[in-house]
Short mmCIF file of all heavy atoms in Angstrom, two decimals:
data_model
loop_
_atom_site.label_atom_id
_atom_site.label_comp_id
_atom_site.label_asym_id
_atom_site.label_seq_id
_atom_site.Cartn_x
_atom_site.Cartn_y
_atom_site.Cartn_z
N ALA A 180 0.84 -1.19 0.00
CA ALA A 180 0.00 0.00 0.00
C ALA A 180 0.88 1.25 0.00
O ALA A 180 2.07 1.19 0.30
CB ALA A 180 -0.92 0.00 1.21
N GLN A 181 0.27 2.40 -0.32
CA GLN A 181 1.02 3.65 -0.37
C GLN A 181 1.63 3.98 0.98
O GLN A 181 0.97 3.93 2.01
CB GLN A 181 0.11 4.79 -0.82
CG GLN A 181 0.83 6.14 -0.92
CD GLN A 181 -0.09 7.28 -1.32
OE1 GLN A 181 -1.23 7.03 -1.72
NE2 GLN A 181 0.38 8.51 -1.21
N GLU A 182 2.92 4.30 0.96
CA GLU A 182 3.63 4.67 2.18
C GLU A 182 4.27 6.05 2.08
O GLU A 182 4.40 6.76 3.06
CB GLU A 182 4.72 3.63 2.50
CG GLU A 182 4.16 2.24 2.82
CD GLU A 182 5.25 1.22 3.08
OE1 GLU A 182 6.45 1.57 2.93
OE2 GLU A 182 4.93 0.06 3.42
N GLY A 183 4.70 6.44 0.87
CA GLY A 183 5.40 7.71 0.68
C GLY A 183 4.50 8.78 0.10
O GLY A 183 3.26 8.69 0.13
N VAL A 184 5.12 9.79 -0.49
CA VAL A 184 4.37 10.95 -0.99
C VAL A 184 3.73 10.66 -2.35
O VAL A 184 2.80 11.37 -2.75
CB VAL A 184 5.29 12.18 -1.11
CG1 VAL A 184 5.80 12.60 0.26
CG2 VAL A 184 6.46 11.91 -2.06
N TYR A 185 4.21 9.65 -3.05
CA TYR A 185 3.67 9.35 -4.38
C TYR A 185 2.51 8.36 -4.27
O TYR A 185 2.58 7.37 -3.55
CB TYR A 185 4.76 8.78 -5.28
CG TYR A 185 5.87 9.75 -5.58
CD1 TYR A 185 7.08 9.69 -4.88
CD2 TYR A 185 5.72 10.74 -6.54
CE1 TYR A 185 8.10 10.60 -5.14
CE2 TYR A 185 6.74 11.65 -6.81
CZ TYR A 185 7.92 11.58 -6.11
OH TYR A 185 8.94 12.47 -6.36
N GLU A 186 1.44 8.65 -5.01
CA GLU A 186 0.28 7.77 -4.98
C GLU A 186 0.60 6.41 -5.58
O GLU A 186 0.04 5.39 -5.17
CB GLU A 186 -0.88 8.41 -5.75
CG GLU A 186 -1.45 9.67 -5.09
CD GLU A 186 -2.62 10.23 -5.88
OE1 GLU A 186 -3.01 9.60 -6.89
OE2 GLU A 186 -3.14 11.28 -5.48
N ASN A 187 1.47 6.39 -6.56
CA ASN A 187 1.91 5.15 -7.21
C ASN A 187 3.39 5.25 -7.51
O ASN A 187 3.88 6.32 -7.86
CB ASN A 187 1.19 4.95 -8.56
CG ASN A 187 -0.29 4.81 -8.42
OD1 ASN A 187 -0.77 3.75 -8.07
ND2 ASN A 187 -1.05 5.88 -8.72
N TYR A 188 4.10 4.16 -7.34
CA TYR A 188 5.45 4.12 -7.89
C TYR A 188 5.90 2.68 -8.08
O TYR A 188 5.37 1.74 -7.47
CB TYR A 188 6.44 4.92 -7.05
CG TYR A 188 7.07 4.21 -5.87
CD1 TYR A 188 8.13 3.32 -6.07
CD2 TYR A 188 6.65 4.45 -4.57
CE1 TYR A 188 8.74 2.67 -5.00
CE2 TYR A 188 7.25 3.81 -3.49
CZ TYR A 188 8.29 2.92 -3.72
OH TYR A 188 8.87 2.28 -2.66
N ILE A 189 6.85 2.54 -8.98
CA ILE A 189 7.47 1.24 -9.26
C ILE A 189 8.97 1.39 -9.04
O ILE A 189 9.59 2.33 -9.53
CB ILE A 189 7.22 0.78 -10.72
CG1 ILE A 189 5.72 0.69 -11.01
CG2 ILE A 189 7.90 -0.56 -10.98
CD1 ILE A 189 5.41 0.41 -12.47
N ARG A 190 9.54 0.47 -8.26
CA ARG A 190 11.00 0.43 -8.11
C ARG A 190 11.50 -0.88 -8.70
O ARG A 190 11.00 -1.96 -8.37
CB ARG A 190 11.43 0.53 -6.65
CG ARG A 190 12.97 0.37 -6.49
CD ARG A 190 13.44 0.42 -5.05
NE ARG A 190 13.45 1.80 -4.57
CZ ARG A 190 12.66 2.27 -3.62
NH1 ARG A 190 11.76 1.47 -3.07
NH2 ARG A 190 12.73 3.52 -3.24
N LEU A 191 12.50 -0.78 -9.57
CA LEU A 191 13.12 -1.95 -10.17
C LEU A 191 14.56 -2.07 -9.69
O LEU A 191 15.31 -1.10 -9.75
CB LEU A 191 13.08 -1.83 -11.71
CG LEU A 191 13.66 -3.00 -12.52
CD1 LEU A 191 12.91 -3.14 -13.84
CD2 LEU A 191 15.15 -2.81 -12.81
N THR A 192 14.90 -3.24 -9.19
CA THR A 192 16.27 -3.50 -8.72
C THR A 192 16.86 -4.66 -9.51
O THR A 192 16.26 -5.73 -9.58
CB THR A 192 16.29 -3.83 -7.22
OG1 THR A 192 15.69 -2.76 -6.48
CG2 THR A 192 17.71 -4.04 -6.73
N VAL A 193 18.01 -4.41 -10.13
CA VAL A 193 18.73 -5.45 -10.85
C VAL A 193 19.85 -5.96 -9.95
O VAL A 193 20.66 -5.17 -9.44
CB VAL A 193 19.32 -4.91 -12.17
CG1 VAL A 193 20.23 -5.95 -12.81
CG2 VAL A 193 18.19 -4.54 -13.12
N ILE A 194 19.87 -7.26 -9.74
CA ILE A 194 20.87 -7.89 -8.87
C ILE A 194 21.86 -8.64 -9.74
O ILE A 194 21.49 -9.52 -10.52
CB ILE A 194 20.18 -8.85 -7.88
CG1 ILE A 194 19.10 -8.11 -7.07
CG2 ILE A 194 21.21 -9.50 -6.95
CD1 ILE A 194 18.09 -9.01 -6.43
N THR A 195 23.13 -8.27 -9.64
CA THR A 195 24.18 -8.94 -10.40
C THR A 195 25.16 -9.59 -9.44
O THR A 195 24.99 -9.54 -8.22
CB THR A 195 24.93 -7.94 -11.31
OG1 THR A 195 25.72 -7.06 -10.48
CG2 THR A 195 23.96 -7.11 -12.13
N GLU A 196 26.18 -10.19 -10.01
CA GLU A 196 27.20 -10.84 -9.18
C GLU A 196 27.99 -9.81 -8.37
O GLU A 196 28.60 -10.15 -7.35
CB GLU A 196 28.15 -11.64 -10.08
CG GLU A 196 27.45 -12.74 -10.87
CD GLU A 196 28.28 -13.21 -12.05
OE1 GLU A 196 29.49 -12.92 -12.09
OE2 GLU A 196 27.71 -13.87 -12.93
N ARG A 197 27.99 -8.55 -8.81
CA ARG A 197 28.81 -7.52 -8.18
C ARG A 197 28.01 -6.57 -7.29
O ARG A 197 28.54 -6.05 -6.32
CB ARG A 197 29.54 -6.71 -9.24
CG ARG A 197 30.47 -7.54 -10.12
CD ARG A 197 31.10 -6.65 -11.20
NE ARG A 197 31.91 -7.43 -12.13
CZ ARG A 197 32.46 -6.94 -13.22
NH1 ARG A 197 32.28 -5.66 -13.54
NH2 ARG A 197 33.19 -7.70 -14.02
N GLN A 198 26.74 -6.30 -7.64
CA GLN A 198 26.03 -5.24 -6.94
C GLN A 198 24.54 -5.33 -7.16
O GLN A 198 24.05 -6.14 -7.94
CB GLN A 198 26.52 -3.87 -7.44
CG GLN A 198 26.20 -3.63 -8.92
CD GLN A 198 26.64 -2.27 -9.41
OE1 GLN A 198 27.01 -1.41 -8.64
NE2 GLN A 198 26.60 -2.06 -10.71
N GLU A 199 23.80 -4.46 -6.46
CA GLU A 199 22.39 -4.22 -6.71
C GLU A 199 22.24 -2.78 -7.18
O GLU A 199 22.82 -1.87 -6.61
CB GLU A 199 21.55 -4.44 -5.44
CG GLU A 199 21.48 -5.87 -4.99
CD GLU A 199 20.42 -6.09 -3.90
OE1 GLU A 199 19.63 -5.14 -3.65
OE2 GLU A 199 20.39 -7.18 -3.32
N ARG A 200 21.47 -2.59 -8.25
CA ARG A 200 21.25 -1.25 -8.78
C ARG A 200 19.74 -1.04 -8.91
O ARG A 200 19.04 -1.86 -9.52
CB ARG A 200 21.91 -1.10 -10.15
CG ARG A 200 21.83 0.33 -10.73
CD ARG A 200 22.13 0.34 -12.22
NE ARG A 200 23.43 -0.22 -12.54
CZ ARG A 200 24.56 0.47 -12.56
NH1 ARG A 200 24.56 1.75 -12.28
NH2 ARG A 200 25.70 -0.13 -12.87
N SER A 201 19.22 0.05 -8.31
CA SER A 201 17.78 0.27 -8.33
C SER A 201 17.45 1.60 -9.01
O SER A 201 18.23 2.56 -8.97
CB SER A 201 17.20 0.26 -6.92
OG SER A 201 17.69 1.36 -6.17
N VAL A 202 16.26 1.65 -9.61
CA VAL A 202 15.72 2.86 -10.20
C VAL A 202 14.22 2.83 -9.98
O VAL A 202 13.58 1.78 -10.09
CB VAL A 202 16.08 2.96 -11.70
CG1 VAL A 202 15.59 1.76 -12.48
CG2 VAL A 202 15.53 4.25 -12.30
N ALA A 203 13.65 3.97 -9.61
CA ALA A 203 12.22 4.05 -9.32
C ALA A 203 11.58 5.15 -10.15
O ALA A 203 12.23 6.13 -10.54
CB ALA A 203 11.99 4.31 -7.83
N GLY A 204 10.29 4.97 -10.42
CA GLY A 204 9.58 5.96 -11.20
C GLY A 204 8.10 5.96 -10.90
O GLY A 204 7.58 5.08 -10.22
N THR A 205 7.43 6.96 -11.43
CA THR A 205 5.98 7.07 -11.25
C THR A 205 5.38 7.66 -12.51
O THR A 205 6.09 8.07 -13.44
CB THR A 205 5.65 7.93 -10.02
OG1 THR A 205 4.25 7.85 -9.76
CG2 THR A 205 6.02 9.40 -10.24
N VAL A 206 4.05 7.72 -12.54
CA VAL A 206 3.32 8.35 -13.63
C VAL A 206 2.51 9.50 -13.03
O VAL A 206 1.70 9.30 -12.13
CB VAL A 206 2.37 7.35 -14.34
CG1 VAL A 206 1.54 8.07 -15.40
CG2 VAL A 206 3.18 6.23 -14.98
N PHE A 207 2.74 10.71 -13.55
CA PHE A 207 2.02 11.88 -13.06
C PHE A 207 0.68 12.01 -13.78
O PHE A 207 0.33 11.20 -14.63
CB PHE A 207 2.86 13.14 -13.26
CG PHE A 207 4.00 13.28 -12.28
CD1 PHE A 207 4.93 14.29 -12.42
CD2 PHE A 207 4.14 12.39 -11.22
CE1 PHE A 207 5.98 14.43 -11.52
CE2 PHE A 207 5.19 12.51 -10.32
CZ PHE A 207 6.11 13.53 -10.47
N ALA A 208 -0.08 13.04 -13.43
CA ALA A 208 -1.42 13.23 -13.96
C ALA A 208 -1.42 13.41 -15.48
O ALA A 208 -2.41 13.11 -16.15
CB ALA A 208 -2.08 14.44 -13.30
N ASP A 209 -0.29 13.87 -16.03
CA ASP A 209 -0.22 14.06 -17.48
C ASP A 209 0.02 12.76 -18.24
O ASP A 209 0.08 12.75 -19.47
CB ASP A 209 0.87 15.07 -17.84
CG ASP A 209 2.26 14.62 -17.40
OD1 ASP A 209 2.40 13.50 -16.87
OD2 ASP A 209 3.22 15.41 -17.57
#
């Protein structure tokens, strides 16, 4: 459920042999 300031968001984390790298985004009203 919503916890932060954004009504919706998706966070994607790629896990490799060396590290984890994450990027998050949302869709605004437009």
Side-chain angles (χ1 to χ4, degrees):
Q181 181 182 349
E182 295 178 355
V184 296
Y185 295 100
E186 292 182 3
N187 297 281
Y188 86 79
I189 302 173
R190 175 182 283 114
L191 181 148
T192 303
V193 172
I194 304 161
T195 70
E196 299 162 16
R197 300 177 185 173
Q198 64 178 350
E199 291 191 10
R200 185 196 303 272
S201 66
V202 57
T205 189
V206 175
F207 285 174
D209 61 4

